[in-house]
Each structure stands twice: as structure tokens, then as C-alpha cells.
């Protein structure tokens, strides 16, 4: 399988020159449930998910802020493709970047929660197991060791930051002081 390399032909600030204009865009129109500002909680990156006018029916993931110095404001790091289930998407996210282009797209399953506040991402996994019972059946029945880290079962994905559930920027996950 060959890696597909996409280049970003627009300047970094072609879509939105500043974060206030992104919020204005979110407030000014009718957004699909998937559109808005999202955060990768484990990486601290924030992205804008917005309908892609050049590919109808898909959504772009564009960097707003990130601690990763390899990415800049305006970099498109992925695309969501719709499926027959309105709450499920195929996430095509690029995993490598060289000088000016993003490459090596990884396809994942993205599931929008019923309240629209989280986007759970399931990555492909490779399982490899050798059954040694056939080689030394008596020995391997005596000793059995297994290790399971519960952190591996935590869901990965994104949390919606803006617009909030009541469209004023507040989130159910954070305490709201009146």
C-alpha cells in the first residue's frame, strides 16, 4: 500500500486569520453537529472541523493551536468522510510531515457521541499471537502470565470546545460559575 502525500496549496492563514473570526463563523451560521472547535485532550491540540467545499460531504480538520512545533495554524491534518450512519465517520488523518507536505494517511473510525460533545476515535490494531501450546504442551500449561493495562482501554478521540451545548461557549464537562 503506497502512502498518499497531500500538499496544502493555500497559505496557512487562508481560512481564518484569527481565533475570534473562527468563533464568529461558528456563531453566524447553522453548523452540522460535527462542525466546530475540537480538542485532542492527550495532545493539547485544537482543531477546527469544518465542511470542505472542495470535497462535498466531507469535513476538514485544521489546526488552530498545538504544542507540536511541526504543525502550524492552518495546517489541515485530516478529513472526515461520512458513512451510512450519520454519527459515524471514516477519519483520514495524516501522521507524518516533511518540509511542506503531510503524508502517510491513517484511516480510523470516528464516532460522534449522542450529545455531540465527543468524537471517539478507534484506530486499527494489529494482534499477533503465537500458540506455543502445540510445541511444549505440558510446560505451557504450568506457567501462564498475562498483562493488561487498563489505560489502553480508555477511549481516544476529541472533545468539542466550541460551540458548547447551549451555544454560549460553556461545556458540560467544566464547572460554570454564574
Amino acid at each position: 500500500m503506497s502512502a498518499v502525500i497531500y500538499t496544502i496549496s493555500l497559505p496557512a492563514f487562508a481560512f481564518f486569520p484569527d481565533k475570534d473570526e473562527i468563533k464568529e463563523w461558528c456563531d453566524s451560521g447553522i453548523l452540522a453537529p460535527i462542525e466546530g472547535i475540537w480538542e485532542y485532550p492527550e495532545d493539547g491540540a485544537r482543531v477546527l472541523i469544518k465542511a470542505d467545499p472542495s470535497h462535498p460531504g466531507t469535513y476538514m480538520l485544521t489546526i488552530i493551536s498545538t504544542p507540536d512545533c511541526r504543525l502550524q495554524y492552518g495546517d489541515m491534518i485530516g478529513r472526515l468522510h461520512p458513512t451510512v450512519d450519520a454519527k459515524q465517520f471514516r477519519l483520514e488523518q495524516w501522521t507524518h510531515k516533511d518540509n511542506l507536505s503531510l503524508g502517510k494517511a491513517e484511516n480510523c473510525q470516528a464516532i460522534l457521541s449522542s450529545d455531540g460533545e465527543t468524537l471517539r476515535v478507534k484506530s486499527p490494531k494489529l494482534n499477533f499471537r503465537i500458540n506455543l501450546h502445540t510445541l511444549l504442551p505440558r510446560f505451557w500449561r504450568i506457567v501462564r502470565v498475562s498483562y493488561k493495562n487498563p489505560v489502553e482501554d480508555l477511549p481516544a478521540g476529541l472533545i468539542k470546545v466550541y460551540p458548547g451545548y447551549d451555544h454560549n461557549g460553556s461545556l458540560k464537562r467544566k464547572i460554570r460559575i454564574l
Side-chain angles (χ1 to χ4, degrees):
M1 185 175 193
S2 63
V4 178
I5 297 177
Y6 294 90
T7 57
I8 300 169
S9 59
L10 298 172
F13 293 96
F15 297 112
F16 303 102
D18 63 27
K19 295 173 188 167
D20 293 333
E21 286 190 18
I22 293 173
K23 288 187 177 183
E24 286 177 23
W25 173 81
C26 289
D27 294 338
S28 67
I30 299 172
L31 302 180
I34 195 75
E35 290 183 300
I37 300 171
W38 294 78
E39 181 176 338
Y40 287 89
E42 293 180 356
D43 297 316
R46 288 196 175 187
V47 295
L48 173 67
I49 297 180
K50 178 184 181 299
D52 186 353
S54 63
H55 295 88
T58 65
Y59 299 90
M60 302 180 296
L61 279 80
T62 307
I63 290 289
I64 296 173
S65 66
T66 179
D68 188 341
C69 62
R70 296 170 294 176
L71 295 171
Q72 297 176 1
Y73 180 87
D75 282 349
M76 188 177 77
I77 62 165
R79 182 173 277 124
L80 287 165
H81 301 271
T83 64
V84 294
D85 183 346
K87 297 278 185 184
Q88 294 190 33
F89 300 86
R90 179 175 58 89
L91 171 61
E92 178 184 19
Q93 188 164 313
W94 294 281
T95 59
H96 289 82
K97 181 177 182 180
D98 59 15
N99 293 336
L100 294 173
S101 62
L102 295 165
K104 194 173 179 191
E106 185 73 41
N107 286 302
C108 305
Q109 177 187 23
I111 305 166
L112 184 64
S113 64
S114 59
D115 62 3
E117 289 195 10
T118 60
L119 188 63
R120 185 174 183 173
V121 177
K122 294 182 179 181
S123 302
K125 293 188 176 168
L126 175 66
N127 291 329
F128 183 75
R129 183 170 53 175
I130 299 174
N131 186 356
L132 296 174
H133 293 286
T134 58
L135 298 176
L136 300 170
R138 291 185 183 195
F139 174 75
W140 290 108
R141 283 188 209 149
I142 295 170
V143 178
R144 290 184 185 183
V145 177
S146 65
Y147 174 77
K148 180 138 175 95
N149 187 348
V151 173
E152 293 172 1
D153 293 334
L154 290 175
L158 296 101
I159 298 171
K160 194 167 200 176
V161 176
Y162 194 85
Y165 71 100
D166 57 0
H167 299 286
N168 70 357
S170 61
L171 301 172
K172 290 181 183 177
R173 297 174 171 268
K174 294 186 179 178
I175 297 173
R176 186 159 89 180
I177 301 172
L178 301 175

